[in-house]
Amino acid sequence: MKTPKRLQSLLDEGLIDLVVRQLMSGKEAMVYVVRCGGETRCAKVYKEANQRSFRQAVDYTENRKVKNTRQARAMAKGTRFGREAQEAAWQSAEVDALYRLAAAGVRVPKPFNFHEGVLLMELVTDANGDAAPRLNDVSFTAEEALAHHATLLAEVVRMLRAGVVHGDLSEFNILLGADGPVIIDLPQAVDAAGNNHAERMLLRDVANLNAFFGRFAPPLLASQHGPEIWDLYRRGVLTPETVLTGRFEPKRAAVDVVSVIREIDDARAEEAARRLRMA
Ligand SMILES: Nc1ncnc2c1ncn2[C@@H]1O[C@H](COP(=O)(O)OP(=O)(O)OP(=O)(O)O)[C@@H](O)[C@H]1O
Ligand SMILES: [Mg+2]
């Protein structure tokens, strides 16, 4: 095919030899199949921020490390330099997460290069060598569903132990490769320890897995793997050997009745003051 503009500089630099075809056009990126030195790879071209549906909410960028204070100030002010810095941080977040997770033994596409807003990575393929389908495009027996579900929960645990929460894990962002499920699409991944939304995002990721595989293996629909995993992680006792049960009883901590009543009284006083001002 004719080389898309955004891939021309990679061709000029000799990073790729040929663009074979477009694989997908997602909400945030265009994905192409390319050839590099006799190998077939995948090129993910990030869309510019203004062409992208806005998934990059505050919660995703919170606590993301910024190189220097000038950059941090510019990002906070929303200047052009700031927007560019934010854009670069968003794009490199996926590359950072891929390297970090590959090192931790999580099955993600192997990253090769990141150049001018294009991520070059392994093309995940099926048994025929064709681009692998998303989980959403495949149907499973109950047994297969339980096996993949267990594999993916182990991956979630591995990611969490490496300090990463995916943040958008679902049947649309997991490919079924020849050797099993492969997790993709990580620009919104967050720091498990330093981000206030990490717990909520982990619970949602695991709930998505349970809901999807629960279509084929209904007992998964009622299981509580997310809260179970987070509780073990929070207490520092989550290990790769932990056997997950899907059962979780939240411990009821003793309630401090005095402080609850004080909160109620404060709210009441505030409301009374507001009415007085209005009158
Ligand atoms: N490494 C890969 N190997 C094979 N196919 C891939 C790879 N990376 C992405 N794809 C294909 O491209 C699609 C879009 O990729 P990705 O999810 O990373 O981008 P996106 O813009 O966030 O897309 P979406 O908005 O659909 O989530 C995937 O659903 C998958 O079919
Ligand atoms: Mg995606």
Side-chain angles (χ1 to χ4, degrees):
M1 69 178 277
K2 184 169 167 289
T3 306
K5 246 216 210 111
R6 296 277 306 277
L7 288 175
Q8 188 59 46
S9 80
L10 282 85
L11 208 71
D12 297 340
E13 301 263 341
L15 293 172
I16 59 176
D17 301 327
L18 176 78
V19 182
V20 181
R21 66 188 177 92
Q22 184 176 335
L23 193 56
M24 281 284 177
S25 173
K27 288 187 292 294
E28 280 137 1
M30 315 267 275
V31 179
Y32 297 88
V33 178
V34 297
R35 299 279 300 169
C36 316
E39 281 192 57
T40 303
R41 287 184 185 162
C42 172
K44 179 169 178 177
V45 181
Y46 295 93
K47 293 184 180 168
E48 305 291 334
N50 57 358
Q51 297 165 13
R52 204 165 64 206
S53 61
F54 210 67
R55 181 164 58 158
Q56 184 188 17
V58 251
D59 53 340
Y60 289 131
T61 47
E62 185 182 283
N63 197 47
R64 195 159 277 173
K65 286 179 196 60
V66 188
K67 284 210 191 69
N68 57 49
T69 48
R70 177 173 168 244
Q71 200 172 335
R73 278 197 309 274
M75 278 165 74
K77 276 200 223 137
T79 60
R80 194 168 78 87
F81 175 69
R83 280 198 305 276
E84 278 167 12
Q86 196 146 26
E87 186 65 20
W90 159 259
Q91 298 185 354
S92 66
E94 176 152 38
V95 189
D96 295 347
L98 283 178
Y99 279 107
R100 201 156 149 196
L101 293 178
V106 179
R107 183 65 178 100
V108 290
K110 184 175 159 48
F112 291 109
N113 214 318
F114 180 64
H115 183 80
E116 307 215 336
V118 182
L119 168 62
L120 273 182
M121 61 180 150
E122 167 195 355
L123 179 72
V124 180
T125 54
D126 64 13
N128 300 321
D130 299 322
R134 303 176 305 180
L135 285 187
N136 185 58
D137 302 320
V138 186
S139 112
F140 300 100
T141 66
E143 239 166 63
E144 290 166 339
L146 288 172
H148 288 316
H149 178 262
T151 303
L152 286 161
L153 280 191
E155 294 283 65
V156 167
V157 168
R158 220 169 269 139
M159 286 200 267
L160 198 50
R161 286 175 48 85
V164 177
V165 174
H166 186 291
D168 192 21
L169 194 64
S170 74
E171 60 274 29
F172 302 101
N173 283 331
I174 302 171
L175 304 179
L176 191 58
D179 52 357
V182 183
I183 294 169
I184 63 163
D185 200 3
L186 287 135
Q188 73 297 316
V190 301
D191 187 352
N195 187 299
N196 290 325
H197 306 274
E199 173 180 6
R200 184 168 54 76
M201 291 168 70
L202 178 109
L203 295 182
R204 190 178 58 192
D205 284 355
V206 176
N208 286 343
L209 291 179
N210 284 4
F212 175 71
F213 288 112
R215 293 186 210 162
F216 309 101
L220 290 178
L221 294 174
S223 48
Q224 293 292 318
H225 294 100
E228 183 187 15
I229 291 173
W230 188 261
D231 180 61
L232 292 164
Y233 169 70
R234 197 180 49 79
R235 293 192 285 120
V237 294
L238 183 65
T239 72
E241 287 76 40
T242 305
V243 179
L244 299 169
T245 63
R247 286 186 299 274
F248 180 70
E249 283 291 333
K251 293 213 179 38
R252 283 172 214 283
V255 174
D256 178 356
V257 179
V258 174
S259 76
V260 172
I261 291 176
R262 198 183 297 136
E263 285 289 326
I264 295 171
D265 286 346
D266 282 355
R268 197 176 278 147
E270 222 169 84
E271 175 62 10
R274 193 183 68 85
R275 281 171 190 271
L276 215 62
R277 278 197 308 277
M278 304 273 285

